[in-house]
Amino acid sequence: MIQNLKRHFPQAANANFFAIGLNYKKADAEIRGHFSISEQAQSAILQQAKDDGIPAIVVISTCNRTEIYGFAKDEIQLIKLLCEHTHGTVDEFKNVSYIYKNTIAIDHLFKVGTGLDSQILGDFEIISQLRHGFKQSKKIGMINPFMERLINAVIQASKRIKNETEISSGATSVSFASVQYILARVPYVSEKNILLFGTGKIGRNTCENLIKHTNNEHITLINRTKGKAEKIAGKFNLVVKDYADIQSEISSSDILIVATGAQQPTINKDLLFLKKPLLILDLSIPKNVSEDVKDLDNVTLVHLDDLSAITDKTLEKRSKQIPQAEQIIAEIKEEFDAWLKTRKFAPTIKALKGKLNDLKDAEIDFQSKKIKDFNQQQAEIISNRLIQKITTQFANHLKSEGKTIDESLEMIQRVFHLEDNV
């Protein structure tokens, strides 16, 4: 695909296209944190890349990955650029990183942008990061035609896969899976009293999913720090109760969702004085609901591990969509390859057109002096049309060429003495 970048893009002379980075597969959260890129660091990386003469670059940084895509003389140029603006070292990076070059780098970018390389298969959140990185780079002139066309192709593939496959369908997050569990097993859920204990990240996400999917107006929040619960409650117009009221609130609830994130159980059977059945969902790691609640006849306890089965089934279903997603990627990559091929011979066609125009100008000048009442305007029109037809014919021929395109280009350059102009 990319055999000679100099011929395609003179500004990328002596460069290759690289993808360098690290992600959740080999680097744990602490290591990923060392290479996390802030907005300020991203701007600094782009500016230094510009100062260093790198022709094009895009930076992506999420909680699961940090990557740089760009043209460089070698991969170390991009690695040093990353390490100089993060808290990671080159040696640390090499232990957990991946480095892809040219065609393989392009393949990787397509997988990342279409959710095939995400921690949760089919998660398309990364495409917004790619768009943001692209816009930041373009803003300071760090995008060349190759990068622009490639990233737009990846965005197109992402849209098609999202619309034409079911690779992003179903529940994958814990919060979503818990609400799906409730919807599947609790009749008349909109009429039930739901108590959410704990308003950390999982608690907030669960709260949003409850409101979105249950149409329930009887949701109460409790958190040890009441202010945090009140912030969320204000956003959704929910009721907040004091932690001291938790026992009475549980007794009037039909569903208790626990997402407290404590190191020891926060709910046990001594807190439960129940007059009706209670479904408890424990979304915490480690478990925050004591096993002794099962001693009570009217309690149903569901742990995080039970909910993960819903997620596993979803991912299994999503994985069946991979061949269709890969087919879509292959189609769009074929279009990209065809465009890249035209970039390969575009300089030769442009030089050929220039050569023919020079011949035309010389011939018209000669004939205008030789022929009486010579109509220069008509000669220009006819000559220009002929030049357009000739160059189009050559371009169509080169498009249809396979492995012999280099030989055809060499022949055209030699016949018309174009070597100095390409």
Side-chain angles (χ1 to χ4, degrees):
M1 185 186 294
I2 308 177
Q3 299 299 326
N4 192 336
L5 289 172
K6 185 177 180 180
R7 176 172 283 169
H8 300 173
F9 304 102
Q11 71 269 38
N14 302 317
N16 286 291
F17 179 64
F18 288 99
I20 65 117
L22 67 158
N23 62 23
Y24 63 93
K25 293 178 182 177
K26 288 180 67 177
D28 60 25
E30 183 180 355
I31 299 296
R32 294 200 302 274
H34 294 173
F35 293 94
S36 180
I37 300 173
S38 64
E39 286 283 337
Q40 186 177 1
Q42 184 180 16
S43 298
I45 288 172
L46 295 178
Q47 188 57 55
Q48 185 177 329
K50 189 172 187 178
D51 294 341
D52 291 347
I54 291 175
I57 189 173
V58 169
V59 178
I60 300 174
S61 185
T62 72
C63 59
N64 284 328
R65 72 177 65 242
T66 294
E67 295 184 335
I68 294 180
Y69 296 88
F71 286 90
K73 294 176 181 177
D74 52 44
E75 66 271 20
I76 197 66
Q77 189 176 15
L78 298 180
I79 294 169
K80 286 181 177 178
L81 192 61
L82 172 63
C83 294
E84 285 174 16
H85 296 278
T86 61
H87 299 293
T89 66
V90 172
D91 288 339
E92 189 177 31
F93 178 83
K94 288 180 177 179
N95 287 332
V96 296
S97 66
Y98 41 84
I99 298 164
Y100 302 121
K101 182 178 175 181
N102 293 338
T103 303
I104 301 174
I106 292 171
D107 291 343
H108 178 70
L109 180 54
F110 269 100
K111 286 180 182 177
V112 169
T114 55
L116 297 187
D117 195 60
S118 297
Q119 188 169 24
I120 297 176
L121 177 65
D123 181 2
F124 285 94
E125 190 64 33
I126 188 67
I127 200 67
S128 63
Q129 297 289 339
L130 182 59
R131 280 197 182 99
H132 176 72
F134 172 68
K135 287 178 182 177
Q136 293 299 103
S137 295
K138 193 168 184 179
K139 194 183 295 183
I140 69 164
M142 289 302 291
I143 294 292
N144 63 7
F146 173 92
M147 288 280 277
E148 182 155 15
R149 186 79 178 210
L150 174 59
I151 290 172
N152 283 330
V154 172
I155 292 171
Q156 182 189 359
S158 176
K159 285 181 181 177
R160 280 193 56 190
I161 290 170
K162 196 170 186 179
N163 293 333
E164 298 175 26
T165 76
E166 295 182 0
I167 203 164
S168 61
S169 64
T172 53
S173 69
V174 170
S175 58
F176 195 108
S178 64
V179 175
Q180 290 293 96
Y181 183 93
I182 293 169
L183 290 171
R185 290 164 178 81
V186 179
Y188 309 108
V189 68
S190 62
E191 301 171 10
K192 302 299 183 182
N193 293 323
I194 301 175
L195 175 61
L196 175 61
F197 179 31
T199 54
K201 183 177 180 181
I202 291 177
R204 291 195 305 272
N205 291 342
T206 303
C207 186
E208 290 182 10
N209 278 302
L210 283 169
I211 292 164
K212 182 177 179 181
H213 299 287
T214 66
N215 196 30
N216 189 299
E217 297 180 356
H218 315 286
I219 300 173
T220 300
L221 306 183
I222 291 180
N223 196 67
R224 288 182 184 274
T225 307
K226 192 176 181 181
K228 291 183 179 179
E230 286 174 336
K231 284 184 180 179
I232 298 171
K235 182 179 178 182
F236 298 110
N237 195 27
L238 302 177
V239 175
V240 176
K241 294 289 185 177
D242 290 324
Y243 177 61
D245 298 327
I246 190 167
Q247 191 172 61
S248 60
E249 289 300 321
I250 290 174
S251 66
S252 62
S253 298
D254 300 293
I255 301 168
L256 169 62
I257 301 172
V258 181
T260 46
Q263 293 302 306
Q264 300 294 330
T266 55
I267 301 294
N268 56 49
K269 74 175 183 179
D270 294 335
L271 275 175
L272 308 183
F273 292 89
L274 308 176
K275 298 176 184 178
K276 57 181 177 177
L278 178 67
L279 170 63
I280 304 177
L281 277 69
D282 185 2
L283 310 185
S284 309
I285 298 175
K287 294 177 180 179
N288 279 192
V289 179
S290 175
E291 290 289 324
D292 65 9
V293 301
K294 292 181 179 178
D295 296 342
L296 302 174
D297 293 335
N298 50 358
V299 170
T300 301
L301 174 62
V302 177
H303 282 302
L304 190 64
D305 292 343
D306 303 313
L307 294 173
S308 68
I310 297 174
T311 301
D312 291 341
K313 288 177 182 177
T314 298
L315 294 177
E316 184 180 349
K317 183 180 178 182
R318 287 186 176 191
S319 66
K320 293 177 181 177
Q321 302 294 308
I322 291 176
Q324 188 179 351
E326 289 176 336
Q327 179 59 38
I328 291 170
I329 291 173
E331 290 172 11
I332 293 175
K333 278 175 63 181
E334 188 174 345
E335 294 171 6
F336 176 74
D337 291 351
W339 171 83
L340 192 59
K341 196 174 181 181
T342 66
R343 294 290 306 188
K344 186 172 187 177
F345 61 73
T348 297
I349 295 299
K350 183 179 179 181
L352 174 61
K353 196 169 188 176
K355 183 73 171 185
L356 293 175
N357 275 313
D358 289 343
L359 293 173
K360 174 204 72 173
D361 292 341
E363 188 63 23
I364 286 177
D365 182 61
F366 174 76
Q367 296 298 339
S368 65
K369 295 174 182 177
K370 187 177 179 182
I371 300 174
K372 187 180 179 182
D373 299 326
F374 180 76
N375 191 323
Q376 185 166 338
Q377 185 178 7
Q378 287 183 346
E380 287 277 357
I381 292 171
I382 293 170
S383 299
N384 287 337
R385 284 181 60 83
L386 284 172
I387 290 172
Q388 185 60 44
K389 287 178 180 294
I390 291 168
T391 53
T392 300
Q393 192 72 20
F394 273 109
N396 289 337
H397 167 75
L398 291 169
K399 284 180 184 177
S400 64
E401 285 290 274
K403 295 179 181 179
T404 60
I405 185 170
D406 288 333
E407 295 175 9
S408 295
L409 287 170
E410 187 180 346
M411 182 196 70
I412 294 168
Q413 292 161 12
R414 190 170 61 251
V415 169
F416 291 96
H417 304 289
L418 304 178
E419 289 84 352
D420 296 334
N421 300 320
V422 178

